[in-house]
Amino acid sequence: MSTTATPSRTEFSAYQTLGYAAQDAQSPVAPFTFERRALRPDDVKMDILYTGVCHSDLHQARNDWHGTTYPIVPGHEIVGRVIAVGPDVTKFKEGDLAAVGCLVDSCQDCPSCERGLEQYCENMATQTYNGQDRVTGEPTYGGYSESIVVKESFVLHVPANLDPKAVAPLLCAGITTYSPLMHWKVQAGQKVGVIGLGGLGHMGVKFAHALGAKVVVITTSPGKEEDARRLGADEVLISKDAEAMTAHARSFDFLLNTIPVGHDINPYLNLLKLDGTIVIVGTLNPLKGEVEALPLIVGRRSLSGSGIGGLPETQEMLDFCGEHNIVSDIEVIDMQNINEAYDRMIKSDVKYRFVIDMASLKKDAGAK
Ligand code: NAP
Ligand code: ZN
């Protein structure tokens, strides 16, 4: 038998890896060993260094959106170090710092994919977790784990001047706020409101400020005022203060709504000026109550939504962050503290993104 074939390197084989998973909607996220696939020719394999904790992780772990397949390994804000590449990979090499966001594949053939808008793939993009591999149909498992194998075209380059742990949240919170600001052409001099100062919201403030907009944080938490100003806000509006809301009526060009649960949107519609737009990026659940048509009609206002961002725009956002020295404000946690982090997130007690130091997973190595 010939021995000239490429030797089988362990880096290329399927392997067991340790992660954290929820086994059902009620149980805490806990250690879970599972298999990662053997490298395909166009795959990149990364050791995960840091993973951001998105509110979507919590929604999906607890089946808030009714579409979770268990076990689920959350995590779609991933920064890691490349440890192996398939033979067809051209843009990454061993040792590179690299990142993965919310998507790991799409059909790459439909009109959306052709425009680099993979998040709107007409054949449903493959989510980094709670998705199905397009080749084998196996579940995809996310970044709460030691390592990951991802198709090269869904892996991103990390600007060298940025702190890798503070880059992780850019992969979802960053792109989800950058993309609508770009799409609606937010620019210097406009008045922009960011509703909800959490993981997404604080990135929205940084981006809108960098674009030269006058930024107003619209919050339920008066205690966040000082932080809001430090992050780049010019003003803070407490959404429960009806008088203050009235004072800001008909004044905003653009509102970025990051509220994570169903809510009454009518008070926010009235904040928009003629031709203003409010974009929902927060809740995937229905809004509460009826959306009033009158404010839309009398102010020619728009109510819209936006989902994460495509691969080209995600790289553009990372490069923008590199140029403007923008990263997330983070609190680094160990993997073992994830359930406490979820509880704090529900109480809006995050400043402003938890990031898991994946080295902490080693403490669970005995559970393997
Ligand atoms: P987060 O860090 O928990 O921040 C959400 C913020 O919203 C809170 O800090 C709080 O800010 C405000 N808030 C919370 N509950 C509220 C309520 N009942 N009424 C009004 N405001 C409330 O969450 P995140 O990670 O930024 O995610 C926000 C939402 O975006 C989640 O639902 C997530 O699933 C979704 N998401 C969507 C996309 C997309 O593609 N569209 C991508 C990523 C995430 P204040 O204290 O300032 O009021
Ligand atoms: Zn997310």
Side-chain angles (χ1 to χ4, degrees):
M1 215 177 124
S2 160
T3 54
T4 53
T6 312
S8 153
R9 290 173 50 191
T10 50
E11 292 91 333
F12 286 73
S13 313
Y15 62 102
Q16 295 286 299
T17 191
L18 178 64
Y20 261 55
Q23 299 291 339
D24 57 59
Q26 285 78 39
S27 55
V29 179
F32 171 64
T33 301
F34 60 99
E35 187 175 283
R36 290 281 189 202
R37 66 170 183 253
L39 249 72
R40 297 173 190 144
D42 59 349
D43 274 345
V44 170
K45 180 174 172 181
M46 289 160 54
D47 266 347
I48 299 176
L49 300 173
Y50 300 104
T51 298
V53 180
C54 181
H55 206 119
S56 304
D57 299 352
L58 165 60
H59 284 312
Q60 300 237 52
R62 302 204 173 161
N63 202 18
D64 289 348
W65 298 334
H66 310 295
T68 303
T69 303
Y70 294 95
I72 182 172
V73 177
H76 58 203
E77 296 184 336
I78 302 168
V79 169
R81 184 77 61 190
V82 175
I83 52 168
V85 295
D88 294 351
V89 169
T90 57
K91 299 194 191 99
F92 294 90
K93 60 178 186 330
E94 262 179 71
D96 284 354
L97 204 57
V100 175
C102 303
L103 304 178
V104 287
D105 208 352
S106 70
C107 83
Q108 318 230 277
D109 199 31
C110 72
S112 298
C113 287
E114 276 171 12
R115 290 173 61 194
L117 299 171
E118 295 88 350
Q119 77 274 34
Y120 304 126
C121 172
E122 293 180 10
N123 299 299
M124 270 188 67
T126 308
Q127 308 288 315
T128 303
Y129 61 83
N130 200 37
Q132 276 190 319
D133 183 79
R134 292 186 113 75
V135 178
T136 63
E138 286 168 340
T140 56
Y141 293 124
Y144 295 5
S145 59
E146 293 170 315
S147 61
I148 193 164
V149 175
V150 179
K151 185 190 259 199
E152 174 184 28
S153 46
F154 285 77
V155 182
L156 296 135
H157 293 281
V158 176
N161 58 317
L162 301 180
D163 176 1
K165 50 186 179 299
V167 165
L170 302 178
L171 277 302
C172 176
I175 184 60
T176 303
T177 50
Y178 179 87
S179 183
L181 293 172
M182 290 296 121
H183 181 76
W184 276 277
K185 301 186 169 45
V186 165
Q187 51 194 268
Q190 288 189 329
K191 184 172 170 184
V192 170
V194 176
I195 308 171
L197 193 65
L200 266 58
H202 94 292
M203 289 311 308
V205 171
K206 291 187 185 207
F207 287 134
H209 176 74
L211 293 169
K214 175 179 160 57
V215 185
V216 180
V217 163
I218 304 170
T219 179
T220 60
S221 308
K224 291 182 183 174
E225 174 156 1
E226 203 183 314
D227 278 349
R229 290 184 190 278
R230 178 179 53 77
L231 293 164
D234 299 282
E235 226 176 302
V236 174
L237 171 56
I238 308 300
S239 52
K240 292 171 188 160
D241 180 343
E243 226 171 89
M245 290 289 275
T246 304
H248 281 267
R250 293 181 300 279
S251 69
F252 285 87
D253 294 281
F254 186 79
L255 290 169
L256 188 64
N257 178 352
T258 77
I259 299 173
V261 292
H263 57 279
D264 177 9
I265 202 161
N266 294 303
Y268 302 105
L269 296 181
N270 288 316
L271 294 176
L272 291 169
K273 66 184 192 194
L274 178 67
D275 289 331
T277 299
I278 181 166
V279 176
I280 297 174
V281 291
T283 184
L284 268 64
N285 292 117
L287 294 168
K288 287 221 176 108
E290 289 169 352
V291 177
E292 285 170 24
L294 192 63
L296 297 176
I297 289 170
V298 297
R300 201 162 59 188
R301 297 159 166 131
S302 299
L303 167 59
S304 194
S306 182
I308 46 173
L311 271 295
E313 195 174 45
T314 305
Q315 189 62 63
E316 176 190 306
M317 177 274 308
L318 286 168
D319 296 343
F320 179 90
C321 288
E323 280 161 35
H324 295 262
N325 256 306
I326 293 175
V327 285
S328 174
D329 281 32
I330 59 169
E331 179 177 337
V332 177
I333 59 166
D334 286 350
M335 187 71 256
Q336 293 77 11
N337 298 123
I338 185 66
N339 297 294
E340 190 192 326
Y342 282 176
D343 290 345
R344 282 183 54 194
M345 192 176 251
I346 287 173
K347 293 184 209 141
S348 302
D349 176 25
V350 190
K351 293 189 172 177
Y352 279 88
R353 197 57 141 189
F354 292 119
V355 171
I356 307 160
D357 179 351
M358 277 306 153
S360 62
L361 254 187
K362 290 193 178 69
K363 291 188 209 164
D364 289 307
K368 261 187 168 181

